[in-house]
């Protein structure tokens, strides 16, 4: 499925309603229709860091990447919010996410090249 997607699903682009516990997505600068697996893969890649202000070097730490159990739990919750609870739905979503994990790196790598070409580099 290709729902409306944030396409930049990092923690800084999420706000939690403290009364209800629900998450709200913000900052749709890159928003548009995209595969749900891409958006979730981007979220998982963001677990490794490198984009937070406290890390100006952009160094990632893939020991922080979610485990298979964490990915499964996240995807189960995602699907449950849509009323989907079948194992086949979960297996399909996990497959989509695995495919998009590497594509996501390519996407942001090309984005960086484009930004360097259009805005220049400090170094």
């Amino acid at each position: 499925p290709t729902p409306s997607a944030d396409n930049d699903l990092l923690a800084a682009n999420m706000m939690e309603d403290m009364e209800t516990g629900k998450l709200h997505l913000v900052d749709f600068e890159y928003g548009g229709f995209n595969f749900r697996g891409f958006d979730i893969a981007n979220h998982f890649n963001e677990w490794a860091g490198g984009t937070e202000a406290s890390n100006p070097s952009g160094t990632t730490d893939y020991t922080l990447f979610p485990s298979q159990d964490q990915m499964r739990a996240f995807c189960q919750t995602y699907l449950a919010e849509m009323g989907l609870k079948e194992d086949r739905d979960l297996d399909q979503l996990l497959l989509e996410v695995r495919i998009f994990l590497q594509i996501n790196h390519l996407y942001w790598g090309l984005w960086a090249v484009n930004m360097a070409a259009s805005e220049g580099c400090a170094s």
Side-chain angles (χ1 to χ4, degrees):
T2 52
S4 177
D6 183 273
N7 293 316
D8 190 19
L9 205 50
L10 58 140
N13 290 344
M14 298 179 205
M15 292 177 58
E16 182 180 6
D17 183 324
M18 300 309 281
E19 291 181 20
T20 65
K22 291 200 176 264
L23 287 178
H24 300 276
L25 304 181
V26 297
D27 186 10
F28 286 89
E29 177 182 7
Y30 300 106
F33 290 100
N34 202 349
F35 295 95
R36 63 188 181 174
F38 178 90
D39 228 13
I40 295 171
N42 185 79
H43 176 63
F44 292 158
N45 279 329
E46 292 291 345
W47 282 37
T51 59
E52 55 281 326
S54 63
N55 182 2
S57 70
T59 306
T60 53
D61 179 358
Y62 278 95
T63 64
L64 301 173
F65 192 82
S67 68
Q68 292 297 318
D69 289 340
Q70 289 170 314
M71 289 191 286
R72 187 172 195 83
F74 182 94
C75 290
Q76 279 177 320
T77 302
Y78 174 90
L79 292 171
E81 284 293 315
M82 296 188 309
L84 301 171
K85 297 182 181 183
E86 299 290 327
D87 284 343
R88 65 178 155 67
D89 295 321
L90 179 58
D91 292 341
Q92 178 60 39
L93 180 54
L94 288 167
L95 175 61
E96 288 175 35
V97 169
R98 279 192 293 276
I99 290 168
F100 280 106
L101 284 171
Q102 297 305 315
I103 294 170
N104 183 255
H105 287 300
L106 176 62
Y107 173 86
W108 287 111
L110 292 173
W111 174 86
V113 169
N114 184 53
M115 294 305 289
S118 65
E119 297 182 8
C121 295
S123 55

